[in-house]
Amino acid sequence: MALKLRVDDKLIVRAREAAHRITGEVQGFIEQHTTTSTERAVVRLFGVEGKGLDDVPLPNLVVENIQDGGGLDKGASYWVCNAMARHSLSAQEVAQAVGHGKLDLIKVAQADEGRIRETAHLIAQETLDRITRNRQTRSGFINQWGERPAPWLYIIVATGNIYEDVIQAQNAARQGADVIAVIRSTAQSLLDYVPEGATTEGFAGTYATQENFRIMRRALDEVSEELGRYIRLTNYASGLCMPEIAALGAVERLDMMLSDSMYGILFRDINMKRTLVDQHFARMIQAQAGIIINTGEDNYLTTDDAYEAANTVLASQFINEQFAHRSGMTDELIGLGHAFEMDPRQEDGLLYEMADALLSRHCFPKAPLKYMPPTRHMTGNIFMGHIMDAMFNLTSVATNQHIHLIGVMTEAIHTPFLHDRALAIENARYVFGYARHFFEEFDLKKGGLIEKRANDVLQQSVDLLEHIEHVGLMTAIAEGTFGRVRRQPTGGKGLDGVVAKGPQHFNPFFDLILKGGAH
Amino acid sequence: MALKLRVDDKLIVRAREAAHRITGEVQGFIEQHTTTSTERAVVRLFGVEGKGLDDVPLPNLVVENIQDGGGLDKGASYWVCNAMARHSLSAQEVAQAVGHGKLDLIKVAQADEGRIRETAHLIAQETLDRITRNRQTRSGFINQWGERPAPWLYIIVATGNIYEDVIQAQNAARQGADVIAVIRSTAQSLLDYVPEGATTEGFAGTYATQENFRIMRRALDEVSEELGRYIRLTNYASGLCMPEIAALGAVERLDMMLSDSMYGILFRDINMKRTLVDQHFARMIQAQAGIIINTGEDNYLTTDDAYEAANTVLASQFINEQFAHRSGMTDELIGLGHAFEMDPRQEDGLLYEMADALLSRHCFPKAPLKYMPPTRHMTGNIFMGHIMDAMFNLTSVATNQHIHLIGVMTEAIHTPFLHDRALAIENARYVFGYARHFFEEFDLKKGGLIEKRANDVLQQSVDLLEHIEHVGLMTAIAEGTFGRVRRQPTGGKGLDGVVAKGPQHFNPFFDLILKGGAH
Amino acid sequence: MEPNWVKPYGDTTNDGAMQLSFTLPVKNGGVAREAAKRLCESMNLENVQIVHQKDLGGGYTFFVVYGRCTQAVDISDIHVPEVQAPSWDMHQVNTIAHEKLGRKITVVGACTGTDAHTVGLDAILNMKGFHGNYGLERYSEFTVHNLGSQVPNETLVAKAIEVNADAILVSQVVTQKNIHLSNLTQLVDLLEAEGLRDSIILIAGGPRITHELAVELGYDAGFGPGTVPSEVASYLLKELLGRKGIMI
Amino acid sequence: MEPNWVKPYGDTTNDGAMQLSFTLPVKNGGVAREAAKRLCESMNLENVQIVHQKDLGGGYTFFVVYGRCTQAVDISDIHVPEVQAPSWDMHQVNTIAHEKLGRKITVVGACTGTDAHTVGLDAILNMKGFHGNYGLERYSEFTVHNLGSQVPNETLVAKAIEVNADAILVSQVVTQKNIHLSNLTQLVDLLEAEGLRDSIILIAGGPRITHELAVELGYDAGFGPGTVPSEVASYLLKELLGRKGIMI
Ligand code: B12
Ligand code: B12
Ligand SMILES: Cc1ncc(COP(=O)(O)O)c(C=O)c1O
Ligand SMILES: Cc1ncc(COP(=O)(O)O)c(C=O)c1O
């Protein structure tokens, strides 16, 4: 491996330590709180599915019932398992009773706390076993068929109809895709519930639902068999329902998920307290399921300048890594995001892009980095866009990126048509093949533009992280540090779903998962 | 300068020495012969222009008159200057008299040979002075406006109408072109005369005529003024009229010319003896005029495989360099040709292309290399073609090529439309800017693919050159060494125009130009 | 006026040269090729050349086509409204506003409906501006209220009333299912219902907005890709002066 | 047959999605944009989006356009002849020819007229072949006469008569001013004049040749981009056997 950066590795240590302390400070708050969505995720992990009165999903009805009764500080497990124990019902039965107004969990006479916890652990263990089996199924496939060399081709489908999505996804796999992402319907991240059932009419995307996950997983398993290669499935967890969607992904064997509270805070105006608490549990589940998370730092470069704000991306990656570690994730699961977003008119932009991409690669050697194509400077000039994507593809293979989001020439126009995607895949495959060993072929010149740029960005990231440590993460966000977007700790959607844990609060998944010991 | 190859420089010396001996062997033949076209060039350089009986150009009628009279072994200068001296006429007047059947040069009483030579040297010197003034005009512009960094954008126009060509050329310059090539009408290279006048109806190109040269030169001087940058003009000399067109180029201040007998032999089936003799005089004139020649090795890769036949290109470049030296050209004028023609499916093709391009760069450090875009593997898939051109553009700037022929995405479809050219320029300018200092940013890995490839190709070139030396250049061509095309020494068009020089043969331009002394 | 017919141009006047690409739901092969050809002919192309065809799987085939358009357009007949504005820079706008208008200009901006794409609006309004051209916040004679993303039209109108705005600046980027058209139209309806339409300058912007579209929808002006803040500022000032009867 | 109407497909069945690009000889601006739009409408596109427009200088403007085609094609109505040939490899061709035909097959090939593009023809005829598929010279049961480039049709016919060829293989690459069509037609006329047309198999090839075009021009078969030698050999053998009454 030759394209190796010479940077001051002590700065990397300093950056990581600052990030550790920054997240440590927030972690206190996180661990003292739970949220409606976290508790709904627990309910889902108990196997609850389906809708109740007014078509509201049962997990929502259950948690509302508890919250309305003032009992959420104990956690949903407490009340659901109490009812299960008392009435010898399954979780689903309990939920159905609540969902049809036939049971008020708060009013059920309270069983012995030991008994409640035991019940909870028992059913939690069942789900965790299922998740472990999913993990084994996945590794079974991969052992059988092997893994394609990175960068992996990550491709979106976005028809709004899960059955059309299946057609597009299977054909994309045949054309060469390694990972299929089903784009969510616009603004699903702002819904405070997870829709149910198979979607046939989404707006610029298809809802993330358990049923859609199942349908697509099955379709991809089918085409994986056909091709003798495991096609990964990904979807979006970030948003008001992050832990619930994470739970569904774990149960339905998704392989990756976009899962980042920073994205929700900045680009969806979700309350930071809410989503940081949510993220902790979401990532615990994903860690357990061997799901690679994708973080959203790439988005910062759509609202801020890629040349000037590279340090905000790197700083955020360090923070995101630490948050992930605190949820028990290993480096192999932390798909930190970054992007190729410099102005095409920037002299030596290719070299600076390579510098930034290598720097992320160097700072997070084991992470399956997610690399995003040019979007902001894409215009209706599809010819120009296609060659910008070619330079992106080159940078990706040259710097050994891992999860490669296909750049599509119609980025500034519409979500990809069938042939847009085919041309994009053709572009990536051509460049990847044509430059396959670029990474091993060159050494960087000492003191050259790339080395200098990488060192500058690293130094600025350390400075920024130490500033953030000083003011605290929430204040830093309020200052507009990331993507020039300012968000207040008490602003945004979903703060009403944040609840301080009482002394009796418990969540069997925390207990069981953390048994292995994180951080 | 960092992208520097480590190759065995002793091999380069061996290659150059073999090429020197190969061309030396042919040079004997060349210097003992003249051709109808060489003599016509002399007549043109005496200032003769216009047509005579049956619309045949005067230079042709003059030389035919001499040849028919059996006097061509003395050279046209001898007879024309004799008539001038005898009848106190200008060369143009002599030609006109001959051209209208009023004078038979052979029958004019012969003046004293000293007097003839004196007359010849006098008018030859006038023309050489004019050529020198052109050269000074060019350097004047360049000193005034400066030079753009290489690679220079070389762009073709091919409407078939010189006035439409002017519009396209001026707009191309405004869009960023550095060099404008006016493509010739199909198969002009097989005409044994140079057409006259302004062309308005060519087939896939516009005839190379003195008048067209003038019109375009004027148009480019105009747009050069407008842009404050000197726009170079180029045209094609190779073919049956190589020395004549070279002479016209020198007189009308062309800046570059495609001028290579190997191209004529292989791709136009012109007799090798004829065109090698022609080339010698053509290049002498071009040397005098400071015209950069372009050679045609790139074409070999359209009929042979770029990966396998790279050594034939390099070997031919060494030979072409030596031929050019023997015509008195300095390295700065020798625009050796090569091309980016590997199969887009070739794994690591980009690295091999870089290896080959760097090897040429390394072997000919002062030559303004001409680098040709992908053509053979271009298809009707214009989107794929556009990104292949982007990789070509990258290779060009990354390996510091000098004269860069713009690759156009419609290569496999039609000669460029106005917007095809604009998109091609946009592509090149984007990539050149985005990777401006690539060349200085990287070191090649020791023992890597690029270094190994370059060394292999160099070794194979030496082997090939030593084989050619052994069998002789003409036999090597007959064996199909270059472009897999076989041509016999006595085959092809134009052998009847080759004439052994008699003891009295003289050519005042040889005397005057070689005074400075070329090998 | 004399008619002035124009046709596409490749390399010869009126050659009609055009490039197309599209996918047909037909298995790759001769039938697909012929279908593509007929389709192009039904679009008034002649000399149709299928230069590339590729199997996309699942019974779909992609085509790249060149052809010659037989149609022409009479441009003497085309009258497109263009934004009428001087090209003042920030300094000139400030000076003229100060001297001739004699008061500050108040604007309210928002991305309306579900649209969360603020970059374009921010490029016009934020200090930093766009391509080295400062945003309206930086103008001493402008007071800017940038409401950000996903703002309901009702909120926007209420704010305009509250601050007594001279102009409303709306950004619309998402165009799927023509959502931008309904958002933009609804705003005009609201303003008309409030009786405010004539007293306020109404501007739309976004990558698919043109001045003619904006005018058609009932706006005073529309700004598309590449707009810089000073263009918007100059337009606003000129319009306000015009409404006061001051012509420049 | 039931009609089977198809339309272009972007991401929804029958959405008619199409991409176009072209240049108009109109100065960049609103009028040019409107002209582009009207032109596309006259081509039966609706929902026309001008997504890019660029000044090319000299009063020319380049456009990239997306639109929805309102036309459809009935593919049940399309009958395209396709080359009918087995996919034998070299070994199979040689064996079958040896056993069933019992004699060698003689072919004459050339790039005719002023066409000097020999690469395609050589790909079919030369030993080396194309994409790892050996050329006809390598087949033990074929005798190949490759006349090379710029061969007059007269010379080609004379050679075919001289060697008593089973087939003539013509390559045409240059298509400017439809030169390939006249060259190809002239060859058929010549052969007919010589009374040879029916006794010889006549094949055309080149990047713009399709089987349907070749048949229309009076050829037995046509081969386009990507053809490999074994396809041509298989076709020839099958056709010769067929003419002898041997069906395989
Ligand atoms: C950045 C971006 C985002 C960011 C937005 C961040 C933010 N705070 O703005 C994020 C990542 C959050 C995002 C999300 C989504 N996006 Co988005 N996004 C883009 C992207 C890459 C760039 C847009 C941009 O910033 N352009 C740069 C600015 C400067 O240009 P501009 O907007 O044209 O502005 C100029 C002019 O138009 C004008 N102007 C604009 N507004 C105004 C207003 C006034 C008053 C004036 C005078 C002038 C003016 O002046 C500006 C300067 O010259 C585009 C693709 C592209 N390259 O265009 C997709 C794109 C716009 N997004 C798209 C989509 C579909 C989405 C999502 C809906 C995806 C999903 N299913 O979840 C989400 C949801 C967003 C929502 N609810 O609106 C589609 C829209 C398709 C369509 N035609 O409808 C695009 C085209 C991508 C695609 N091909 O799918 N996106
Ligand atoms: C190589 C090449 C040349 C070489 C030719 C060398 C040689 N000995 O062949 C040289 C440099 C000499 C050349 C010169 C010219 N060329 Co040229 N050339 C090309 C190029 C780059 C590649 C063609 C090629 O080799 N393709 C690869 C082969 C394998 O593909 P193919 O021919 O399609 O063959 C396959 C099939 O079609 C089929 N096939 C073909 N023939 C046959 C025959 C039979 C019997 C069968 C069964 C099958 C078959 O099987 C083959 C294998 O699958 C093309 C651009 C391009 N990428 O297409 C331009 C191109 C063909 N050339 C072009 C032109 C204009 C010229 C010139 C006229 C330019 C000029 N003004 O001087 C000259 C003159 C040549 C002349 N008189 O004919 C134009 C033609 C435009 C048009 N549509 O008419 C092109 C498209 C370039 C362009 N955009 O301008 N050219
Ligand atoms: C980290 C992350 N999460 C989620 C999303 C998508 O979220 P939404 O469905 O809200 O558009 C993105 C999109 O860019 C992202 O980067
Ligand atoms: C060296 C050289 N000379 C001349 C030509 C063009 O010659 P013609 O006009 O015969 O096509 C070329 C074209 O590729 C060339 O490479």
Side-chain angles (χ1 to χ4, degrees), chain C residues 72-90:
Chain C
V73 175
D74 177 7
I75 58 170
S76 72
D77 188 39
I78 296 180
H79 306 282
V80 177
E82 312 246 9
V83 176
Q84 300 298 336
S87 29
W88 293 324
D89 64 17
M90 179 172 77

Side-chain angles (χ1 to χ4, degrees), chain A residues 119-136:
Chain A
T119 313
H121 283 178
L122 227 80
I123 50 167
Q125 192 57 53
E126 258 174 52
T127 302
L128 289 176
D129 288 349
R130 172 164 176 195
I131 291 174
T132 307
R133 280 196 304 280
N134 278 345
R135 206 172 170 156
Q136 285 160 350

